Amino acid sequence: MSTACTTAKQEDFALIAKAAEGDTRAFDVLMRLHNQQIYRAVRSILHDEAEAEDAVQDAWWKAYTHLQDFRGNAQPATWLTRIAINEALMRLRRNKSRNSVIQSMPENLPEQNNMPNYESQFASSEASRPEQLTWRAELRRLIERRIDALPDMYRTVFMLRAVDGVPASEVAIALGLPEATVRVRYMRARRLMQTALRQDIDSNTTEAFSFAGDRCDRIVAGVHARMRAAGVR
């Protein structure tokens, strides 16, 4: 594990401890650190930007009211993502828009390493030219559409693994699945993406579903409104 990764996780634990003691500024920092990953995971389930924002706000509020329950058995980001995913799934059940998001499937396929590398970086020196910027914007939109078109059982796994780079072991905890199932679903999602995008993909998805500052601000402001309503200062 890299030093940067270790430091980030230590920071998460420290922020949760401070927030649990009533430090709302620490909770603000925690929200802004993880809003993008959590929003992406929730949106991949709900398929609706406005509802995803509402769900993320609800998830953050639930996390805030249960900070004392966090025991450090999982990474903070995994714990937070799990709360958000549960909120999204509850909304799906409540809306009766889908019967199931995470369905059972065979787990005996090996994970393959010959898929397109969605984690590689966009090409380089040319990236600042207007035509390259236009191409990158079009490519992101294409990737977003293709991710949206993935079957429900694959979409959230792909979003967390390929877009946010969450380890398979932590995705398994967040989704309540065996790690082997996560690996199989990720492999199949990548295969579907490869088929759909063919030779058009020569970059990564780390810039897909870019998290605009306004959206992050709205979510944080929404959680603050709930805090004020609950008498939190």
Side-chain angles (χ1 to χ4, degrees):
M1 183 181 297
S2 70
T3 302
C5 184
T6 302
T7 302
K9 290 179 178 179
Q10 289 173 342
E11 181 183 9
D12 283 345
F13 282 108
L15 289 170
I16 285 182
K18 289 179 181 178
E21 294 173 354
D23 187 340
T24 56
R25 290 185 180 180
F27 194 67
D28 276 7
V29 175
L30 192 69
M31 283 193 286
R32 293 186 183 280
L33 283 174
H34 297 289
N35 256 341
Q36 178 167 280
Q37 176 178 313
I38 289 174
Y39 171 80
R40 283 170 167 172
V42 169
R43 188 194 177 285
S44 74
I45 294 171
L46 295 176
H47 244 188
D48 181 273
E49 293 187 359
E51 188 169 9
E53 283 192 31
D54 289 343
V56 172
Q57 287 185 31
D58 286 346
W60 276 118
W61 176 245
K62 288 180 180 179
Y64 183 78
T65 58
H66 290 85
L67 288 173
Q68 299 291 347
D69 298 333
F70 180 69
R71 296 290 179 266
N73 297 326
Q75 294 297 333
T78 305
W79 179 70
L80 294 167
T81 302
R82 178 67 173 171
I83 291 173
I85 287 172
N86 284 341
E87 175 64 28
L89 293 174
M90 281 194 297
R91 283 172 177 256
L92 275 188
R93 288 192 290 269
R94 189 162 61 238
N95 296 338
K96 298 181 180 179
S97 57
R98 295 183 181 93
N99 292 326
S100 176
V101 173
I102 302 175
Q103 307 170 18
S104 59
M105 61 175 287
E107 300 172 12
N108 57 355
L109 291 181
E111 184 168 17
Q112 298 180 3
N113 295 319
N114 58 350
M115 302 298 169
N117 183 11
Y118 296 116
E119 291 84 2
S120 62
Q121 293 300 317
F122 275 108
S124 56
S125 59
E126 303 294 319
S128 60
R129 293 184 180 180
E131 64 271 20
Q132 292 295 325
L133 293 175
T134 300
W135 163 242
R136 289 175 61 179
E138 289 296 326
L139 182 57
R140 284 198 298 274
R141 283 192 287 271
L142 175 62
I143 291 170
E144 289 173 3
R145 288 196 297 271
R146 293 303 185 183
I147 292 175
D148 276 345
L150 287 172
D152 290 339
M153 71 170 70
Y154 302 140
R155 192 183 313 112
T156 304
V157 169
F158 186 83
M159 188 73 77
L160 290 170
R161 288 285 291 116
V163 180
D164 285 312
V166 179
S169 59
E170 294 185 24
V171 174
I173 294 171
L175 295 177
L177 292 170
E179 187 173 338
T181 302
V182 169
R183 293 184 182 280
V184 169
R185 293 187 185 187
Y186 179 45
M187 177 198 72
R188 291 184 173 181
R190 293 183 70 177
R191 184 177 292 165
L192 289 171
M193 291 288 288
Q194 178 188 35
T195 300
L197 298 171
R198 295 185 176 89
Q199 301 302 317
D200 293 335
I201 295 299
D202 62 355
S203 60
N204 66 12
T205 55
T206 57
E207 295 186 30
F209 297 105
S210 58
F211 199 78
D214 288 346
R215 175 173 288 135
C216 188
D217 290 342
R218 282 197 302 272
I219 289 173
V220 172
V223 176
H224 272 290
R226 296 197 175 197
M227 290 179 175
R228 288 194 297 273
V232 177
R233 295 291 181 267

